[in-house]
Amino acid sequence: METSSQVVLIGTGVLPFLVLLSAALTLPVSLGLLALYRRAVLRSMARSGGTSPPDAPTPPPARPPEARLALEDVAPAPPVGGPATRAIRRSLGRAVSVQVAAGLAYALSLSVAWMVFAWGEGGFVAARFLWLLSCYAWPTALAVGLTAATSRAQRLLIGALYFGLVLAFAGWALARNPALSALAVAQFWLITNLPATLLLLAFLHRRIRAVGPLVLVFMVAALTGSQLAIALVGSSEAGLRAAVGIGGTLGLGGSGTFFALMLAGAALAAVGGWLILGWLGRRHLARRSSDQALTLDAMWLLFAIVQTVSFGFEGVAWMAAGPVAFLVYKLVSGAGWRIAGLGRARADAPSLLLLRVFALGARSERLFDALAKRWLRLGDISLIAGPDLATTTVEPHEFLDFVGGRLSRQFVHDGADLERRLATRALGPDPDGRHRVNEFFCHADTWQLAMQRLARGADVVLMDLRSFSAGNQGCRYELGRLLDSVPLSRVVLLVDAGTDRAFLEDSLQTLWRTLAADSPNRQLATPRLRVLSADRAETAVNALPELLLAAARPGMAGG
């Protein structure tokens, strides 16, 4: 009986405390690590790759094209059922359906467990069961938002639909049981969901979402190890004597010995945590998981552990309710992906090259986050790493290389290295239906080489020129290479009120007059470059997938 009480105490007190503390620490630790990661990326970007490209023969100057380049302003029309819209909605619909099915299976597991040990209080009561099901289904609403919502309005709509169902079931339960109070109903929902929900704000914030799950796993392992060390040493008198003796030899008092034990346990467990992280990184590289799936797994596991607290008071066996529910979620979601065919590769998946003004900072992050949720349902995105998205697009294996002191191997060193990376980049969808972002880290003397090679191989190019001005000479170089090597029909420019439109047009005309002799655009009778205004960012993002797919190579269809 004493052992059982200790286990229940650990399950209802120590374990939830460790998880909650780990999640709370995830935010500052992730922010600190990502700041160091961003600084390391910037330092490496400024360095030379160590190899000089061979001198290319200077081509003879070509005569200016006969036609004048025109900028065609495209109205950001809302999607009305074009091929891109249909493909995105179909993929997102299947992904959301899988999340709802897996989330309901999770909620059903916990609701059935609760009904079993509450059977003596009136047997099966449908109103109670549906109320429990709606409470435990709250993570499903969060998962749907993370999977599909790209605006605050969409997230509010998902929340309104969920709480509409909750209020309906709560009203039925209150009507069926006069002894039940609205306050008790509200308290149950808050106790069940609020702690984990608040903690999600810590490690699923957009700025740290890419590495939050990895840091959470490591923090849980380290803090659990610190507590296990104390528990193991304190479980026997011989262990306590040995610890006190070693502490005394090192000149430590009682408090010092206690904290030394915690640190030793945390250090040993950190080794295990690092091995777990390495395993997750290898799964990601092997395409058995995705960055979004890793984020969702971390969210569901957090809820499963926190929601196990109330079950632990019913006995040791009931502490397995949360982990079992999480396992059910994983089995249903994995089967759902396969049944829905989300991971099935398509030969016509388009590849998008995203170029941009690096100085946009958070504005790049917001655009990328919204665009990626849509476009990655159609095809992959390639981009050159920059300071604006360095901490947003970081992949698990890239972050682990940084922590392990191996960030340099992520950088392109020369042309041969670039071709090798292009040949091994991740193409096709992950099991959950999302394609990947292929990020190319470049040194000061390799980014131009990478940009030209990526532009030639892309099916469509989006160049984000918001805030473009005379100070952005790197973007001006990229515009010249696009005109020289990419058909204008496959290029879309994004501008806003902050774009120096006069300088942009003057730069394009200057570059057009020096167009390469072998440019695919030289013989165009009416050369036009499409420009989309992003003054209303949400409208522009909604219109982009359709516009980009239409700009892709002939035969690239999303239907």
Side-chain angles (χ1 to χ4, degrees):
M1 180 63 68
E2 182 179 355
T3 302
S4 176
S5 299
Q6 290 177 349
V7 174
V8 172
L9 177 62
I10 292 173
T12 59
V14 177
L15 182 58
F17 169 76
L18 291 175
V19 174
L20 296 178
L21 180 58
S22 300
L25 289 174
T26 294
L27 177 61
V29 172
S30 296
L31 286 174
L33 287 173
L34 285 173
L36 294 174
Y37 173 80
R38 183 176 185 274
R39 187 164 60 182
V41 169
L42 291 177
R43 282 201 306 265
S44 294
M45 287 174 59
R47 294 176 187 152
S48 168
T51 58
S52 300
D55 294 330
T58 303
R63 60 181 178 82
E66 296 180 3
R68 178 180 173 85
L69 177 64
L71 298 187
E72 178 185 358
D73 288 296
V74 181
V80 290
T85 304
R86 291 197 304 271
I88 292 170
R89 287 176 178 171
R90 181 167 58 247
S91 179
L92 281 177
R94 292 174 181 176
V96 166
S97 297
V98 171
Q99 281 299 317
V100 170
L104 290 179
Y106 168 92
L108 183 64
S109 301
L110 292 179
S111 300
V112 168
W114 187 278
M115 293 297 292
V116 169
F117 66 67
W119 190 264
E121 302 176 12
F124 180 84
V125 180
R128 177 195 294 168
F129 176 75
L130 291 176
W131 163 245
L132 289 170
L133 189 68
S134 66
C135 285
Y136 289 122
W138 167 238
T140 307
L142 298 176
V144 170
L146 286 170
T147 300
T150 57
S151 67
R152 181 176 298 177
Q154 291 176 346
R155 288 188 285 270
L156 289 175
L157 176 60
I158 294 170
L161 291 174
Y162 168 79
F163 283 110
L165 290 174
V166 168
L167 291 175
F169 291 139
W172 186 23
L174 290 170
R176 292 289 304 272
N177 187 358
L180 186 64
S181 68
L183 178 61
V185 169
Q187 286 178 335
F188 181 85
W189 191 96
L190 292 174
I191 292 172
T192 301
N193 293 309
L194 186 61
T197 301
L198 292 177
L199 288 168
L200 279 177
L201 300 177
F203 75 92
L204 290 186
H205 188 276
R206 185 180 70 247
R207 301 294 293 272
I208 66 166
R209 190 185 306 160
V211 301
L214 298 178
V215 176
L216 179 67
V217 169
F218 189 81
M219 295 300 296
V220 168
L223 289 178
T224 301
S226 70
Q227 297 303 306
L228 286 176
I230 296 297
L232 290 174
V233 171
S235 62
S236 67
E237 184 176 350
L240 285 173
R241 288 181 179 278
V244 171
I246 295 173
T249 303
L250 298 174
L252 301 175
S255 298
T257 301
F258 176 81
F259 286 112
L261 276 173
M262 291 182 62
L263 289 174
L268 290 174
V271 175
W274 181 253
L275 294 175
I276 294 174
L277 293 183
W279 175 73
L280 292 174
R282 289 190 295 274
R283 278 180 57 84
H284 188 267
L285 276 174
R287 308 297 298 277
R288 290 194 293 270
S289 182
S290 71
D291 52 350
Q292 187 175 84
L294 184 61
T295 297
L296 291 173
D297 284 352
M299 182 198 76
W300 282 103
L301 184 58
L302 177 63
F303 271 94
I305 295 176
V306 173
Q307 290 176 345
T308 300
V309 174
S310 56
F311 288 86
F313 289 106
E314 300 299 323
V316 177
W318 292 107
M319 289 174 56
V324 168
F326 175 73
L327 179 60
V328 169
Y329 160 78
K330 286 294 294 177
L331 292 174
V332 173
S333 61
W337 292 342
R338 291 190 293 273
I339 294 172
L342 287 170
R344 193 173 301 136
R346 294 183 53 170
D348 61 350
S351 180
L352 168 67
L353 171 61
L354 176 61
L355 303 173
R356 64 214 184 275
V357 175
F358 284 167
L360 285 171
R363 295 168 63 198
S364 274
E365 292 179 348
R366 288 192 292 269
L367 173 78
F368 181 82
D369 192 50
L371 176 62
K373 280 190 177 180
R374 293 172 170 88
W375 181 262
L376 291 180
R377 292 288 165 181
L378 295 172
D380 65 282
I381 297 177
S382 293
L383 55 85
I384 296 175
D388 55 339
L389 297 178
T391 59
T392 302
T393 59
V394 54
E395 299 278 353
H397 61 281
E398 295 169 354
F399 182 70
L400 293 177
D401 277 346
F402 159 70
V403 176
R406 301 183 301 274
L407 183 61
S408 61
R409 72 181 187 182
Q410 295 294 334
F411 277 77
V412 174
H413 299 293
D414 52 34
D417 186 32
L418 174 61
E419 292 300 327
R420 180 185 62 79
R421 293 175 188 275
L422 285 167
T424 58
R425 62 179 167 169
L427 299 176
D430 283 329
D432 60 353
R434 274 171 56 102
H435 293 252
R436 289 205 175 179
V437 177
N438 291 293
E439 191 173 20
F440 291 81
F441 294 82
C442 299
H443 294 293
D445 57 353
T446 58
W447 73 269
Q448 294 178 342
L449 173 69
M451 178 267 155
Q452 295 180 61
R453 180 63 179 83
L454 290 171
R456 289 197 303 270
D459 296 306
V460 60
V461 179
L462 173 63
M463 189 161 189
D464 186 357
L465 291 174
R466 291 174 297 163
S467 300
F468 175 72
S469 65
N472 304 118
Q473 290 302 310
C475 288
R476 193 175 186 277
Y477 170 85
E478 291 175 339
L479 285 170
R481 301 293 73 74
L482 291 179
L483 295 179
D484 284 342
S485 60
V486 181
L488 295 182
S489 60
R490 287 165 42 198
V491 179
V492 176
L493 305 183
L494 192 67
V495 300
D496 67 359
T499 302
D500 189 336
R501 186 67 179 255
F503 176 72
L504 173 60
E505 294 187 10
D506 181 68
S507 297
L508 286 170
Q509 295 303 334
T510 300
L511 295 167
W512 181 254
R513 287 192 294 270
T514 59
L515 196 66
D518 58 349
S519 170
N521 302 308
R522 175 167 283 277
Q523 302 305 321
L524 294 176
T526 55
R528 294 182 181 275
L529 190 55
R530 279 172 291 185
V531 179
L532 177 65
S533 173
D535 288 328
R536 298 183 61 183
E538 184 176 341
T539 303
V541 169
N542 287 336
L544 269 175
E546 208 68 67
L547 180 61
L548 292 173
L549 189 62
R553 288 174 178 168
M556 286 287 175

